[in-house]
Structure formats: C-alpha cells, structure tokens
Amino acid sequence: MKLATVGSVAFDAIETPFGKTDKIVGGAGTYIALASSFFVKQQSLISVVGEDFPQEVLAELESKGVDISGVEIKHGEKTFFWSGRYHNDLNSRDTLVTELNVLADFKPVVPAQAQNAPFLMLGNLSPDVQLSVIQQMQQRPQLIAMDTMNFWMDIALDSLKETLKHIDVLIINDEEARQLSGVYSLRKAANIIREMGPSILIIKKGEHGALLFHESNMFYAPALPLEEVFDPTGAGDTFAGGFMGYLAAADRIDFDNMKRAIIAGSALASFCVEKFGTQRLKEVTHPELQARMQEFVSLSTFQL
Ligand code: AMP
C-alpha cells in the first residue's frame, strides 16, 4: 500500500448561485482518494459510514484501487451529513447543517495492510483522531501530510500543536495560516508554523493558487483561471489528494517533485470545481489531466 488516507466519507447538500443538490456523496476522504487514484494504484481509505451509505460508491472507489477495508460501516447509524451555501463570489460559504452521526465517536482503525504505507494523508478531522492514526503506523511513514481548519484552532489548539509535532506537511488556507501563526505576512507565518513541527507548508489561496515553503525554498503555483466555477466543495481535499498521490507515485520527495505535485493537485482541483460534488473528478481522463497540467506550464513560464 503506497498511501493511507483518513478522512470523512459523507453526504453533502450544496447550494451555489447556479443551483442546489439533494444529498450527494462527498467527504474529504472521498475527494482525497479519488484525486490520488489518478497516480496511485494501491491505497487505503480509513473512514466510517452509516448503513444508509450506498455500497456502489464504495465499490466504485475499490475499482479505482482504493482498499476500503478500513471504512467501517456502522449498522443502525447514519452517515455524516454536511450542508453548505456558497456566496456569489464562490470563495466564501456558510455551513447550514453539520450532522456528525457516525463521525461523532469515530475511532479510526488502520488495517494491517495500511500500517506500513510510506505516505500518510490526514484529512480534516479532530487533531486527536489524526494523531491516533499516526500512532497506529508500524513504522514512521516517509511523509505525513495533514489538513486542518480554524475550528480546531478555536477549540483544540493544544491538541493541534501536539499533532503538528508529528507531521511533515501542513496544508491550510491563508486565513488559517494567519490565525495559527498570529501574523499577517504569509512568509513570516510560514516560518512560525514550520517551527511548530511540519518542515513543509502549503498555503492555499483559493482562486489565487498555492504557496509551497520548504527550507529556504519557496514556490508559487497559480490556479488556472476558469471561465466557470460551479461548485468549489472538495477542491482543497482534491488538491491535497493530487499532491500526495503524485508524490507517492514518484517516491522521491525533493523540491522539484513537490512543485510538480502541487501542479498535479491544482490541475485536479480545477476539474473538481467544474461540476457539483465528485461528478467531474470521476469523469476526468488521464490525457485530459496531462493537457491541463501542461496549461499550468504555459500559464506561468516566461523567459527574461
Ligand atoms: P472542502 O470544500 O475542501 O473544505 O471540503 C468539503 C468536504 O468536507 C465536504 O464534502 C464535507 O463532507 C466535508 N466536511 C465538512 N465538514 C466536515 C467536518 N466537520 N469533518 C469532516 N469532514 C467535513
């Protein structure tokens, strides 16, 4: 198993200026696994769903090389449900409903075949739950990445700081980086956050791309300006899944590969937002992905 991911598998109901959905399949773990499956043929997803979750969706993940033996199905219980409404700019959203259901007392169990995975992705969950997954690994993975959000900074800062000591890559947005570091300059924030544990920091800036910091190196990846953004849900998770999947497949974690991995994540995220939920991500072909990665090259190379 190249990559192990822990993250939510969920039902989402989404409202954007272009329309709304009934309950559709979402969840950070779902987006991460779908995105990384473009690069990694053997990966494990660790999550929990209720008995209301469609078996076909799990089977579809399995068909893409995702081992789902770590996805617990809780009989008599309901799947995590999240609902959000995007504002007209599509950059901000309000959470309308969060029904934790099976996620309320989620205690992930890493299956034996995933305990030696060299790459570990911790989707946005409580920092204690994220740490419990690291502790179940038989040997320290080569690369541990994690996502988090301001909610955990507000209610569980001490636990978050403890988990940060055990990881290599933190993937957060600019607002979260400012809150975690207490400073406005993202360059200063990057130094402060990297002193907390992760040697690599990725700061996502939504439609303005992402910054990568490692040692004294810095890289800026643009986001592809799209004619239409339909639904941004899961774009951050898709980015993280693409990044980790690319690195796990390349098996070399140098700065140049990290740059390529960021472009892979950005390209997949640019597809993700083109339709509601996971729909577009499931249709993308490898040639389409290659072509879009090439667009990023054209977008940002120049000669002096
Ligand atoms: P993103 O748009 O990248 O922030 O991710 C959205 C996904 O995160 C949705 O598919 C939700 O199901 C999932 N999600 C929302 N809130 C939570 C939460 N509190 N814990 C875990 N997953 C969540």
Side-chain angles (χ1 to χ4, degrees):
M1 216 55 79
K2 277 273 180 196
L3 170 67
T5 295
V6 63
S8 57
V9 171
F11 286 129
D12 292 344
I14 301 160
E15 288 181 35
T16 78
F18 311 108
K20 62 193 271 189
T21 67
D22 288 329
K23 279 189 178 180
I24 57 171
V25 170
T30 313
Y31 284 104
I32 293 167
L34 278 174
S36 51
S37 74
F38 281 88
F39 304 106
V40 174
K41 293 297 152 226
Q42 280 184 308
Q43 59 167 318
S44 177
L45 177 60
I46 299 140
S47 192
V48 63
V49 292
E51 71 174 10
D52 53 351
F53 197 76
Q55 191 60 44
E56 314 84 83
V57 176
L58 297 178
E60 198 179 0
L61 285 171
E62 249 183 325
S63 73
K64 294 180 184 289
V66 183
D67 169 46
I68 50 147
S69 61
V71 180
E72 190 189 349
I73 300 169
K74 284 206 165 174
H75 293 283
E77 293 191 40
K78 285 169 71 181
T79 300
F80 171 71
F81 173 64
W82 174 81
S83 172
R85 181 190 294 135
Y86 287 87
H87 301 168
N88 280 339
D89 65 2
L90 286 171
N91 267 332
S92 48
R93 70 184 178 202
D94 297 322
T95 289
L96 303 176
V97 183
T98 301
E99 287 173 14
L100 286 176
N101 300 328
V102 289
L103 219 53
D105 60 351
F106 177 37
K107 293 190 182 58
V109 177
V110 181
Q113 66 271 29
Q115 288 173 6
N116 286 309
F119 289 78
L120 176 63
M121 176 68 217
L122 307 168
N124 177 26
L125 289 164
S126 98
D128 288 336
V129 168
Q130 291 174 317
L131 186 59
S132 80
V133 170
I134 299 175
Q135 286 164 341
Q136 289 175 57
M137 300 304 277
Q138 254 176 38
Q139 54 192 31
R140 208 299 181 170
Q142 268 176 56
L143 196 76
I144 306 178
M146 93 178 224
D147 181 15
T148 189
M149 67 191 292
N150 35 20
F151 177 71
W152 303 117
M153 296 171 199
D154 292 337
I155 69 153
L157 187 59
D158 288 344
S159 308
L160 177 62
K161 285 190 171 166
E162 182 52 39
T163 304
L164 285 176
K165 291 181 194 159
H166 300 267
I167 64 147
D168 305 297
V169 189
L170 180 65
I171 306 174
I172 50 179
N173 69 32
D174 43 3
E175 196 188 307
E176 291 156 352
R178 289 182 172 125
Q179 177 168 349
L180 184 59
S181 63
V183 299
Y184 189 81
S185 153
L186 293 179
R187 248 180 121 153
K188 279 191 185 156
N191 292 336
I192 294 170
I193 293 169
R194 284 181 298 159
E195 276 174 17
M196 297 176 182
S199 59
I200 301 159
L201 176 68
I202 297 174
I203 301 180
K204 297 172 290 180
K205 291 164 64 68
E207 61 175 328
H208 303 296
L211 286 160
L212 165 69
F213 297 90
H214 177 50
E215 295 172 347
S216 58
N217 298 313
M218 187 165 62
F219 175 65
Y220 168 68
L224 195 67
L226 295 169
E227 285 189 20
E228 265 173 319
V229 174
F230 203 75
D231 169 22
T233 309
D237 305 309
T238 300
F239 172 89
F243 175 79
M244 281 302 267
Y246 187 93
L247 280 183
D251 224 355
R252 235 185 41 242
I253 319 168
D254 54 36
F255 196 68
D256 277 335
N257 258 339
M258 282 194 263
K259 287 190 203 178
R260 287 188 271 270
I262 286 224
I263 298 299
S266 305
L268 283 166
S270 75
F271 284 117
C272 173
V273 303
E274 287 179 347
K275 286 188 180 172
F276 271 124
T278 56
Q279 197 183 339
R280 183 69 180 103
L281 210 48
K282 288 196 287 190
E283 300 165 351
V284 177
T285 61
H286 280 274
E288 272 183 306
L289 176 57
Q290 285 306 321
R292 193 154 285 189
M293 286 178 72
Q294 197 56 49
E295 280 189 64
F296 277 82
V297 177
S298 320
L299 181 68
S300 49
T301 44
F302 64 96
Q303 285 177 337
L304 276 185

